[in-house]
Amino acid sequence: MTAFSLEPAQLAWCAELRALAAERLRPLAEKGEPGRVNRALVAELGRLGLLGRLFTSGALDLCLMRESLAQACTEAETALALQGLGVHPVHAHGTDTQRARWLPAVSDGTAVAAFALSEPGAGSDAAALELTARPDGPARWRLTGEKCWISNAPEADFYTVFARTTPGAGARGVTAFLLPADRPGLTGRGLDMLAPHPIGALDFDGVPVTADDVLGEVDRGFRVAMGTLNLFRPSVGAFAVGMAQAALDATVAHTARRDAFGGKLRDLQAVSHQVAEMALRTEAARLMVYAAATAYDTGAPDVPGRSAMAKLLATETAQYVVDTAVQLHGARALQRGQLLEHLYREVRAPRIYEGASEVQRGIIAKELYAHQEAR
């Protein structure tokens, strides 16, 4: 059903990605252990050339990749996205040495990346983070504190870590560091979460870092974080759209063949109207995601607001569509191992991570009032 203004080559590529996800990635995903990094899956993403595309794709291509993979294998989609989120600050702000060390390893699937921003007391309010970078000599610091709810932790090979270098300065006193996982004083533990992908906490006990580990500029790390999130927020929406489309497809097939009350489920107006609503909302979310990604790629001035709208609408839509799909399937949808049971667990987290829905509404309102005041 997708139209927007996608070229035939883009539509063919999306179909190819869905086929690859079903045929080559899903079998590897099924062999993985919930809550653990699936390195075989990451390596296959590298062999297929998909990880390398993280460094050459614009926002729209990233969205097409995430949506297409999500329709057939959410684990592959998430593995790709987490690599991109963790490595993008290195790609965009790293030194030649940092890039040479890590980008090829991420591209071929031999290194696992992570984006370490959230803390126990600084999730949605990212500017309030408290991981402290205390001076330890000229251009040297010691990191002390905790990160929490970090995807791919504690198994990643390196982390993009955001720490406070200037106390009391809010967003202006944060620095981004590239931190290899074997740095002394860094430990971690996995967290048992509803979402099936790996999530953990990191403890920093005087972890040494130097100017060679800085990404971008000292005290300007919040720009690194927000730049990364502005790129990835529309593609979180694309992930959500992919899940919604998978749930919609399953529901159309189920209601067309299921006998009920002397006919098929689809013959009941209450059912067919719900399916129509699912399709309407999914397509509306898809169009907003593509529009936000296109705005990013063309350098439009309203990217933060559009990105927030895309993530908000798409993730809330996916929650509705998956929930409705479960309702129309009945108890069988909640059986462990079923597609909708899997999607039901997957769909909840995107409304929280990379900025909760409430944060997105705040961004949208801020952008609207800023535009009004600039007139």
Side-chain angles (χ1 to χ4, degrees):
M1 187 175 181
T2 303
F4 193 62
S5 57
L6 297 182
E7 300 292 335
Q10 291 173 305
L11 294 172
W13 182 51
C14 290
E16 179 183 353
L17 285 174
R18 291 193 295 271
L20 286 173
E23 297 166 10
R24 295 182 59 173
L25 299 174
R26 162 107 335 255
L28 292 172
E30 291 174 349
K31 295 177 181 178
E33 181 181 346
R36 301 293 303 275
V37 172
N38 187 334
R39 289 187 177 266
L41 181 61
V42 173
E44 186 66 10
L45 287 167
R47 281 190 288 271
L48 292 173
L50 298 181
L51 296 178
R53 292 193 72 134
L54 292 170
F55 308 122
T56 59
S57 296
L60 181 57
D61 278 353
L62 180 59
C63 286
L64 296 180
M65 278 198 290
R66 295 189 67 174
E67 179 188 343
S68 301
L69 292 177
Q71 287 186 46
C73 182
T74 61
E75 296 93 336
E77 184 285 333
T78 301
L80 176 101
L82 295 182
Q83 290 289 85
L85 190 65
V87 79
H88 178 75
V90 183
H91 176 242
H93 301 279
T95 64
D96 289 343
T97 300
Q98 291 169 334
R99 289 161 59 90
R101 169 66 182 88
W102 292 109
L103 298 195
V106 169
S107 183
D108 64 21
T110 58
V112 172
F115 184 82
L117 178 63
S118 296
E119 298 179 2
S124 294
D125 186 8
L129 62 83
E130 296 180 353
L131 177 67
T132 302
R134 291 190 174 88
D136 188 40
R140 302 179 69 87
W141 300 265
R142 293 273 180 173
L143 304 182
T144 302
E146 182 181 1
K147 292 291 182 181
C148 199
W149 306 300
I150 306 303
S151 295
N152 279 349
E155 300 179 58
D157 297 302
F158 70 95
Y159 300 89
T160 295
V161 176
F162 298 87
R164 181 158 303 287
T165 39
T166 300
R172 297 183 179 180
V174 172
T175 300
F177 294 96
L178 171 57
L179 192 65
D182 60 0
R183 196 63 60 87
L186 176 63
T187 57
R189 61 193 184 282
L191 299 174
D192 189 9
M193 306 288 287
L194 178 67
H197 73 270
I199 302 176
L202 298 171
D203 295 303
F204 299 78
D205 185 12
V207 177
V209 289
T210 71
D212 292 337
D213 300 312
V214 172
L215 291 169
E217 302 176 56
V218 174
D219 284 346
R220 295 294 181 267
F222 201 69
R223 295 179 182 177
V224 176
M226 293 303 105
T228 301
L229 294 177
N230 281 337
L231 170 61
F232 275 84
R233 275 175 178 156
S235 71
V236 174
F239 173 37
V241 168
M243 289 190 286
Q245 188 65 53
L248 174 61
D249 291 344
T251 303
V252 170
H254 172 71
T255 55
R257 65 173 179 262
R258 175 66 187 273
D259 294 318
F261 306 104
K264 301 298 183 183
L265 268 180
R266 70 181 182 186
D267 298 330
L268 300 174
Q269 187 180 71
V271 171
S272 63
H273 282 192
Q274 287 188 80
V275 174
E277 184 70 17
M278 293 163 68
L280 170 68
R281 296 195 191 190
T282 299
E283 187 65 7
R286 175 181 286 116
L287 293 174
M288 182 161 280
V289 165
Y290 290 0
T294 302
Y296 184 96
D297 287 340
T298 56
D302 56 351
V303 167
R306 283 186 175 273
S307 295
M309 287 182 179
K311 181 183 185 294
L312 174 63
L313 180 65
T315 55
E316 296 286 340
T317 292
Q319 182 79 56
Y320 165 82
V321 171
V322 171
D323 187 71
T324 304
V326 169
Q327 194 70 18
L328 292 176
H329 276 75
R332 71 184 63 202
L334 298 178
Q335 185 175 343
R336 182 72 70 178
Q338 294 296 311
L339 170 65
L340 290 174
E341 180 269 338
H342 174 76
L343 292 177
Y344 203 70
R345 287 183 289 115
E346 282 273 28
V347 79
R348 189 59 183 86
R351 292 172 61 204
I352 296 175
Y353 64 60
E354 295 187 39
S357 292
E358 292 75 16
V359 171
Q360 306 311 319
R361 290 186 175 92
I363 293 171
I364 294 165
K366 180 181 178 182
E367 292 294 313
L368 286 171
Y369 288 118
H371 179 70
Q372 190 273 335
E373 291 171 0
R375 289 179 179 177

